[in-house]
Amino acid sequence: MPLSPRASRIAGSPTMKVTATVDRLRREGVDVIDFGAGEPDFGTPEAINDAARAAIDHDFTKYTPVAGIPELRSAICERYRADYGVQYQESEVIASAGGKQALFNTALALFGPGDEVITHAPYWPTLSEQVKLADATPVIVRTSPDDGFAIRARPMLDAITARTRGIIINSPCNPTGALMPEGELTLIAKEAARRRIWVVLDLCYEKLIYDPTFPHNLPGVLDAHCRDLAVICGSASKAYAMTGWRCGWTLAPAAVVAASAAVQSHATSNVADGFASAGDGDVERVPQAARSAL
Ligand SMILES: Cc1ncc(COP(=O)(O)O)c(C=O)c1O
């Protein structure tokens, strides 16, 4: 049976293949340390589990609005305000089934045939495949082990052509762990503003920075230089040990959020309710509120 041209362009997630292999080996009794998927090696914090249990007990198990319940959307805005000093409204945030869907919605909302989208390598393989799923072309700029895999602006700016529609930055970077310095992102953000190019920031590992002295207010940089072109994707997976719950989000201009919501409304509808209902220990007060670990 002929598959679609799109299907033939896409490779399945190698990360998920590693996960499946590890799972099989473990079932066979092999003692394996898994460096494949970015999986925290501890359980979801009890306050979140308690809130989810309470939500189930309150029958908070139905469809929710596509972009997320207002409490969740405002909790996400509040977290980014507290962490980075950036101001987002509810209309500028959408909750999705993981950072992966947040990034996927973004790719479909922003990129199309003929577009080039720059990102840095080594990279999490999904980033380039999602660009291809959007019928656009990934343009890969290598970082170097001799340079600690530093994510630098210059090579990415040099890769810009008349077709460049977006630049995707992943910091902290999977798999290298490299952090993008604020100054480097400033150079990209200023050029993006000049040339009207989207800057997509994958911040899914934002809570796993082990050098607290490293300045990493990347949302603040985008806010200052190209707010109307900035798309920030985040996730509860790594930050709160919630990989299987499937909750991520996008902060972006309202039109991008609306387009992402349109895409998502035909894919998964809303974020998994278990998370939408998880609380920060404040279970009694708002049993169904999405305050969670945020
Ligand atoms: C760089 C990067 N971004 C985003 C994600 C998405 O994670 P999730 O969909 O679980 O939020 C991952 C997952 O491993 C990742 O490595």
Side-chain angles (χ1 to χ4, degrees):
M1 289 285 280
L3 300 176
S4 71
R6 176 177 295 111
S8 61
R9 280 200 303 272
I10 302 302
S13 164
T15 324
M16 299 318 278
K17 271 191 211 154
V18 172
T19 305
T21 307
V22 168
D23 190 50
R24 181 176 52 74
L25 289 172
R26 284 192 180 140
R27 281 170 201 275
E28 291 167 5
V30 182
D31 184 16
V32 190
I33 296 174
D34 179 8
F35 287 116
E39 186 73 79
D41 61 355
F42 50 90
T44 304
E46 252 332 278
I48 299 171
N49 294 337
D50 285 345
R53 280 188 282 264
I56 292 168
D57 291 344
H58 285 79
D59 287 331
F60 193 74
T61 53
K62 314 285 190 200
Y63 293 123
T64 52
V66 170
I69 58 173
E71 291 88 343
L72 176 56
R73 297 172 87 185
S74 70
I76 295 167
C77 295
E78 176 52 30
R79 193 264 286 120
Y80 281 77
R81 193 199 58 70
D83 283 3
Y84 301 110
V86 293
Q87 306 282 348
Y88 280 85
Q89 314 294 320
E90 254 177 56
S91 59
E92 297 172 304
V93 62
I94 171 173
S96 302
K100 190 179 262 186
Q101 191 183 27
L103 289 156
F104 185 59
N105 291 339
T106 300
L108 290 200
L110 302 184
F111 310 135
D115 293 340
E116 292 177 358
V117 181
I118 299 170
T119 194
H120 48 94
Y123 56 86
W124 178 55
T126 292
L127 292 176
S128 63
E129 297 307 292
Q130 289 184 340
V131 168
K132 289 194 231 162
L133 281 167
D135 294 327
T137 305
V139 174
I140 307 301
V141 173
R142 294 211 67 83
T143 60
S144 160
D146 302 334
D147 193 20
F149 294 109
I151 311 165
R152 300 203 184 279
R154 194 66 263 160
M156 280 190 272
L157 295 177
D158 288 346
I160 292 177
T161 71
R163 295 184 144 193
T164 304
R165 181 118 168 123
I167 299 179
I168 304 176
I169 306 288
N170 171 218
S171 179
C173 174
N174 176 14
T176 65
L179 295 172
M180 179 164 226
E182 292 174 2
E184 297 293 315
L185 186 62
T186 302
L187 297 174
I188 288 184
K190 284 185 173 167
E191 191 63 10
R194 202 175 69 76
R195 295 185 178 236
R196 308 299 299 158
I197 293 170
W198 295 104
V199 182
V200 179
L201 186 58
D202 176 354
L203 271 188
C204 287
Y205 289 88
E206 66 191 318
K207 294 288 182 187
L208 300 180
I209 296 177
Y210 297 104
D211 176 0
T213 63
F214 191 97
H216 197 255
N217 188 346
L218 303 189
V221 169
L222 297 185
D223 194 58
H225 300 291
C226 64
R227 162 74 190 237
D228 63 332
L229 294 160
V231 179
I232 300 168
C233 295
S235 169
S237 289
K238 327 289 180 176
Y240 311 119
M242 293 178 72
T243 49
W245 296 59
R246 312 309 302 134
C247 180
W249 48 79
T250 304
L251 298 149
V256 177
V257 165
S260 291
V263 170
Q264 182 167 300
S265 71
H266 298 297
T268 56
S269 298
N270 51 271
V271 65
D273 273 357
F275 178 77
S277 59
D280 58 358
D282 209 357
V283 185
E284 260 78 55
R285 196 160 64 84
V286 212
Q288 307 97 321
R291 304 174 74 82
S292 166
L294 293 161

